[in-house]
Amino acid sequence: MTSPTTTSSARRNLTNPRLSRTTTDLDSAVNDRVGTGHRSRRRPIYVNGGCAPGMAPTDTGVSTAPNATHTNVYRRPDEFCSWPFNTGLWHVGPDEVLVSFVKHDCDYAVESELSHGRVETYGEIYSMRTTNGGESWEADGVIADNVATSDAVQYGPKKTLEGRDFTDRETILTCWSAPNSGDPAATAWIKASDDGGRTWSPPVKLPERIFPRIQGRPSYVVRDDGALLLLLTGKSASDPHDRPIAYVSFDGGANWTFLSYIAGSEDYRIICPSPVRLDDGTLLAAVRCKPSTRANWVEVYASGDGGRNWTYRSRVNDQGEPGHLIRLDDGRLCCVYGYRHPPFGVRARFSDDGGQSWGREWILRDDGGNYDLGYPRATQLADGSVLAVYYFNTDEDDLPVEGGVRHVAATKFDPPE
């Protein structure tokens, strides 16, 4: 048990009538980057300059999140712990939450030990559980050893998954990549649990279809008709950059197929989709737009037909990513994201109109030691507060490398009135 302690963008979304349409020939530049194998026909490019016509602008104010309290979920001085967004958080009881993250040995002696590729490839997906709304956390064990899981998925016999009812809150899914998410030939795998994450099925490889590279994360939603949508990041041979995609299963996760592209850009990666379903059945997906490590933000796309087609809805923030999207009991949306710019930390915004516009920015934390933090997931607890879990570091540790010990922490706060 651990004690508490600009900004325009070019995108290939051909289904967005709200954005002004320009035709720009980027083929020569794209071919320089990706080789002559890239298809060279002229494509329409859509340019968004802030909000689409008819949409209210996002509030630019910044405030401190109400009644924010912080706890350490898991911290070891000789381990690098990270990325709850990548591996999952599940609300399996009224005040019972399971969170997972990747961890690996690290003595912080040299910068190379902090390599994300090293941690992803050789680490393990570990889980912690709270039964009291984040007041304290207990070790729940290893969900996956990344080396053994990658070996089984890439070279072992083919496994299958039995169909399940994912409307049951204790029936949950995790998803990750072999051998790591940055590999050019990364493949996605899934595991399922019927008991709130206490036991897990063997890993099952997702079909690659047209994507030689797929980054897997447990970002899924059940449609009104019972179909299970899993939002991933894929890159086909003809794509210049990674882009968010949707897979669908009509039999409770036993079989999967590619359903749709969510968005895309000629110029930069759009990754890390996070879905939510509105009362009327509309699906939203927050995505991470990443032209560079210093220029990044969150956008939201919407689908009114079960994820077959998607249109741009809004831009959430000026900077900060990836964003995890949740729907609150009062119908509002909350988007929580890492803030990898000084002052480093974690922030959130709320929307009361289905993601058409976003209110002021709320600071959960701004005491980070450097940019290597964030990747939050969040959930609303029984008392109405929001619990956000993320990885973090502060400058209080005396280390020979930049930043502090990478650990997993949580912030509990009240949604603003």
Side-chain angles (χ1 to χ4, degrees):
M1 177 176 175
T2 302
S3 300
T5 42
T6 260
T7 66
S8 59
S9 57
R11 53 177 62 78
R12 240 190 307 168
N13 184 354
L14 307 188
T15 60
N16 190 350
R18 290 186 173 184
L19 304 183
S20 59
R21 177 171 177 170
T22 62
T23 306
T24 307
D25 191 355
L26 299 179
D27 292 313
S28 59
V30 170
N31 286 335
D32 287 342
R33 292 196 298 269
V34 300
T36 57
H38 185 75
R39 57 180 182 265
S40 59
R41 68 177 182 272
R42 194 178 186 90
R43 291 195 189 92
I45 302 296
Y46 295 86
V47 179
N48 171 50
C51 293
M55 293 184 182
T58 293
D59 187 336
T60 58
V62 180
S63 300
T64 301
N67 300 318
T69 58
H70 316 302
T71 59
N72 281 345
V73 176
Y74 184 96
R75 187 185 190 279
R76 300 289 184 273
D78 57 351
E79 292 182 350
F80 186 112
C81 306
S82 53
W83 314 308
F85 181 90
N86 285 353
T87 54
L89 178 147
W90 305 270
H91 199 156
V92 297
D95 283 316
E96 184 175 355
V97 177
L98 179 73
V99 66
S100 66
F101 50 93
V102 182
K103 73 182 186 75
H104 190 48
D105 295 342
C106 179
D107 65 11
Y108 296 91
V110 293
E111 287 286 350
S112 58
E113 285 195 341
L114 280 64
S115 162
H116 289 186
R118 171 182 178 268
V119 176
E120 282 192 22
T121 303
Y122 303 109
E124 61 186 15
I125 299 175
Y126 195 76
S127 60
M128 299 288 290
R129 186 182 302 269
T130 179
T131 57
N132 55 16
E135 297 299 322
S136 60
W137 297 83
E138 297 281 351
D140 211 63
V142 177
I143 295 177
D145 176 282
N146 287 351
V147 174
T149 302
S150 293
D151 184 64
V153 168
Q154 293 179 297
Y155 308 111
K158 182 179 179 180
K159 301 283 187 179
T160 58
L161 192 70
E162 292 184 2
R164 288 163 164 82
D165 177 12
F166 282 94
T167 62
D168 183 335
R169 71 189 306 169
E170 288 203 338
T171 301
I172 58 178
L173 188 78
T174 193
C175 178
W176 187 230
S177 307
N180 60 64
S181 67
D183 192 279
T187 187
W189 55 261
I190 57 174
K191 282 186 168 193
S193 172
D194 300 312
D195 56 9
R198 291 173 176 82
T199 61
W200 294 87
S201 70
V204 175
K205 181 180 178 180
L206 285 176
E208 294 169 345
R209 305 300 180 191
I210 62 173
F211 302 99
R213 166 184 163 91
I214 300 179
Q215 294 179 332
R217 295 176 178 90
S219 298
Y220 58 92
V221 64
V222 179
R223 279 190 337 199
D224 287 343
D225 64 356
L228 180 63
L229 262 64
L230 177 62
L231 303 194
L232 306 160
T233 299
K235 186 178 185 298
S236 71
S238 59
D239 284 320
H241 300 287
D242 297 305
R243 59 191 304 192
I245 60 176
Y247 268 40
V248 63
S249 173
F250 299 104
D251 53 11
N255 295 282
W256 296 87
T257 189
F258 170 66
L259 180 66
S260 62
Y261 291 103
I262 298 171
S265 171
E266 299 282 7
D267 297 324
Y268 53 81
R269 303 171 71 205
I270 302 181
I271 59 178
C272 300
S274 171
V276 72
R277 182 170 60 87
L278 303 183
D279 283 341
D280 64 359
T282 299
L283 301 179
L284 301 182
V287 299
R288 177 188 189 187
C289 299
K290 191 175 181 182
S292 74
T293 57
R294 300 303 181 192
N296 42 72
W297 60 86
V298 177
E299 292 178 351
V300 174
Y301 289 77
S303 174
D305 60 3
R308 301 178 192 95
N309 298 281
W310 299 82
T311 57
Y312 173 87
R313 175 156 288 197
S314 63
R315 176 164 166 170
V316 175
N317 55 4
D318 291 325
Q319 52 191 11
E321 38 70 48
H324 185 233
L325 196 61
I326 63 171
R327 182 185 174 279
L328 303 181
D329 292 340
D330 62 10
R332 285 185 294 171
L333 299 175
C334 174
C335 185
V336 181
Y337 48 90
Y339 197 80
R340 294 180 148 191
H341 308 268
F344 306 109
V346 181
R347 302 190 178 195
R349 286 184 186 267
F350 293 82
S351 172
D352 59 10
D353 57 7
Q356 300 281 1
S357 63
W358 295 86
R360 65 176 49 241
E361 194 165 52
W362 296 90
I363 298 174
L364 276 60
R365 298 195 58 172
D366 60 1
D367 57 332
N370 74 349
Y371 72 93
D372 196 8
L373 46 69
Y375 279 72
R377 283 188 180 257
T379 190
Q380 187 174 28
L381 299 172
D383 65 1
S385 63
V386 174
L387 179 70
V389 185
Y390 45 86
Y391 87 107
F392 208 69
N393 79 85
T394 69
D395 57 8
E396 296 175 357
D397 299 309
D398 184 16
L399 300 176
V401 297
E402 183 182 359
V405 170
R406 275 56 165 180
H407 61 280
V408 177
T411 296
K412 186 176 179 179
F413 67 100
D414 292 334
E417 297 276 334

